[in-house]
């Protein structure tokens, strides 16, 4: 098997013949800056320290002849010809480069699925350019011209070739936007999205056991992150713990069972707070965690839900040894949306 080595971190990525270097890195969860993906913009330019590669057709304005002689290449078009290709790329550079958000992106509602009595899933297909985003990010949705405020909702699926985006929206009693989605929006309707926003991404190249904690529709960004990890065959243990009041509030159980069956390293552990049912843990997650884990010092932790839930879970994982720099959180707030979309969610 061919491989790509990242210098100076020393990390290695498996390479399949025929892939571009950029494609191989993205499959492994690395976020090399890029834009056009056609050898025209130069954003994916890096220096190749050792090994041979076929550069393919690129523009001189994106990669000059002098840069080529110095060993630089555009990874969106480059294909490895060596058993090992070493590129100059430090650990800090292995972090995601956020894609610029765009406003008024037109999407069509292709399906509505009632996941729980209060959570509706929307499936949206782009009518124009596909939105590029990282798992864990969110978009804004609303209809201001009709008096429907713009609100933020996490994308619940990893990026797909057809550009489909899934949103899971909790109905809030006094929330104009969530009530519009639940009561008025139907299949065939067109909506406008803006995004992507948010930094609930973490280190996409992490190599640690992972613990995901979610409550309510906080499951959405966790689903996106987990799907992306499972798709790229993440090998370390991944545990997803989901808190709900009643058994009827546990959704996507079929998907969880599929992941558990297909991926031996994945475990789903739902817990109920208002009833006791065989096969489920009982109690609030911060209280249940010590029953499942003795030590979280080596884990990367992802927590999504209400601010109270996030705070309590953060305190609980720290009590079990979790390291501050390995904890990633996303709180869902119920408040008015400012002119610029914030890093946190607004869910009414």
């Amino acid at each position: 098997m061919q491989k790509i080595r990242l210098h100076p971190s020393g990390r290695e990525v498996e390479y399949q013949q025929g892939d571009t270097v950029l494609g191989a890195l993205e499959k492994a969860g690395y976020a090399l800056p890029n834009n056009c993906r056609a050898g025209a913009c130069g954003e994916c330019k890096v220096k190749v320290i050792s090994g041979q590669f076929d550069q393919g057709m690129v523009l001189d304005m994106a990669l000059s002849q002098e840069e080529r002689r110095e060993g630089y290449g555009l990874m969106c078009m480059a294909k490895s010809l060596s058993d090992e290709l070493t590129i100059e790329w430090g650990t800090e550079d292995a972090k995601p480069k956020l894609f610029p958000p765009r406003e008024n992106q037109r999407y069509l509602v292709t399906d509505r699925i009632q996941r729980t009595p209060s959570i509706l899933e929307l499936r949206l297909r782009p009518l124009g350019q596909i939105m590029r985003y990282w798992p864990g990010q969110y978009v804004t949705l609303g209809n201001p011209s009709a008096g429907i405020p713009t609100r933020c909702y996490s994308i619940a699926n990893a990026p797909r070739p057809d550009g489909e985006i899934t949103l899971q929206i909790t109905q809030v009693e006094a929330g104009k936007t969530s009530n519009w989605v639940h009561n008025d929006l139907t299949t065939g309707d067109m909506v406008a999205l803006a995004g992507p926003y948010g930094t609930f991404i973490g280190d996409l190249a992490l190599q640690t056991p992972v613990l995901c904690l979610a409550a309510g529709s906080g499951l959405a960004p966790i689903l996106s992150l987990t799907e992306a990890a499972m798709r790229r065959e993440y090998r370390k243990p991944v545990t997803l713990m989901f808190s709900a009041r009643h058994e009827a509030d546990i959704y996507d159980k079929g998907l969880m069972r599929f992941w558990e069956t297909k991926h031996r390293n994945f475990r789903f552990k739902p817990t109920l707070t208002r009833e006791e049912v065989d096969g489920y843990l009982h109690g609030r997650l911060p209280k249940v965690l010590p029953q499942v884990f003795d030590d979280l010092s080596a884990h990367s932790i992802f927590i999504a839900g209400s601010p109270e839930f996030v705070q309590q879970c953060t305190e609980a994982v720290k009590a079990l040894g979790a390291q501050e720099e390995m904890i990633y959180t996303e709180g869902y707030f119920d408040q008015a949306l400012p002119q610029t979309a914030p890093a946190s969610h607004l869910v009414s």
Side-chain angles (χ1 to χ4, degrees):
M1 175 67 72
Q2 294 174 282
K3 60 185 177 182
I4 300 169
R5 182 185 294 273
L6 308 182
H7 176 81
S9 68
R11 291 183 176 181
E12 295 181 351
V13 173
E14 290 186 354
Y15 179 85
Q16 293 184 355
Q17 192 171 11
D19 283 349
T20 63
V21 175
L22 173 62
L25 292 173
E26 290 183 334
K27 284 182 181 179
Y30 288 85
L32 180 67
N34 67 90
N35 187 14
C36 72
R37 305 174 77 89
C41 72
E43 284 200 29
C44 63
K45 184 188 307 176
V46 300
K47 188 171 185 178
V48 177
I49 297 175
S50 65
Q52 301 295 317
F53 65 99
D54 177 2
Q55 178 55 86
M57 296 292 293
V58 301
L59 300 181
D60 281 345
M61 67 178 183
L63 184 68
S64 69
Q65 293 299 320
E66 182 180 354
E67 287 173 326
R68 298 179 200 220
R69 288 192 293 270
E70 292 175 352
Y72 287 90
L74 300 186
M75 299 301 102
C76 68
M77 300 295 287
K79 295 184 178 181
S80 177
L81 300 175
S82 303
D83 290 338
E84 180 176 305
L85 188 74
T86 302
I87 66 174
E88 191 174 73
W89 192 19
T91 302
E92 284 299 309
D93 296 321
K95 294 181 178 179
K97 179 180 180 181
L98 300 182
F99 301 114
R102 295 181 290 119
E103 297 183 352
N104 297 318
Q105 300 176 70
R106 297 193 304 163
Y107 279 74
L108 197 72
V109 180
T110 58
D111 205 356
R112 291 166 42 100
I113 303 172
Q114 196 72 43
R115 290 300 188 187
T116 75
S118 62
I119 297 177
L120 177 71
E121 179 174 292
L122 288 183
R123 295 189 177 179
L124 310 172
R125 289 287 183 95
L127 294 174
Q129 183 180 351
I130 289 175
M131 183 188 303
R132 298 176 63 202
Y133 64 92
W134 290 109
Q137 290 193 289
Y138 66 90
V139 296
T140 62
L141 169 67
N143 189 2
S145 63
I148 306 300
T150 300
R151 292 292 181 259
C152 306
Y153 299 104
S154 286
I155 301 172
N157 62 286
R160 299 176 185 174
D162 61 10
E164 180 178 87
I165 283 178
T166 299
L167 305 180
Q168 295 173 342
I169 299 175
T170 301
Q171 188 167 24
V172 179
E173 184 176 354
K176 284 188 177 180
T177 307
S178 64
N179 280 295
W180 166 66
V181 169
H182 277 253
N183 301 329
D184 301 321
L185 203 60
T186 187
T187 54
D189 285 349
M190 187 178 70
V191 296
L193 303 181
Y197 302 108
T199 56
F200 185 58
I201 299 170
D203 180 358
L204 297 181
L206 58 85
Q207 296 294 327
T208 69
V210 173
L211 171 62
C212 299
L213 306 175
S217 54
L219 182 61
I222 298 296
L223 288 175
S224 180
L225 287 163
T226 306
E227 180 188 345
M230 295 298 98
R231 185 187 295 173
R232 64 182 175 91
E233 298 184 356
Y234 190 75
R235 301 298 186 184
K236 297 292 184 177
V238 177
T239 303
L240 197 167
M241 300 186 71
F242 180 60
S243 178
R245 294 178 178 179
H246 304 280
E247 185 179 11
D249 298 319
I250 301 288
Y251 65 100
D252 270 331
K253 288 185 284 188
L255 178 61
M256 298 299 103
R257 181 58 180 157
F258 172 75
W259 282 346
E260 285 184 321
T261 302
K262 185 174 181 180
H263 305 283
R264 297 293 182 88
N265 61 321
F266 177 77
R267 294 188 302 164
F268 177 57
K269 290 187 171 295
T271 180
L272 305 178
T273 60
R274 298 286 180 87
E275 63 178 338
E276 295 189 37
V277 178
D278 288 343
Y280 292 88
L281 296 168
H282 176 69
R284 299 181 65 82
L285 268 180
K287 299 293 184 182
V288 171
L289 271 173
Q291 302 173 26
V292 183
F293 295 96
D294 297 322
D295 181 10
L296 291 173
S297 60
H299 281 67
S300 295
I301 316 288
F302 294 84
I303 309 171
S306 70
E308 180 184 10
F309 174 83
V310 169
Q311 180 180 353
Q312 292 177 353
C313 286
T314 299
E315 293 172 356
V317 298
K318 286 183 177 179
L320 291 171
Q323 302 176 49
E324 181 81 38
E325 65 274 13
M326 296 173 68
I327 301 174
Y328 308 92
T329 63
E330 182 74 296
Y332 284 31
F333 294 84
D334 182 7
Q335 60 190 51
L337 178 71
Q339 292 300 311
T340 301
S344 60
H345 280 61
L346 309 168
V347 299
S348 65

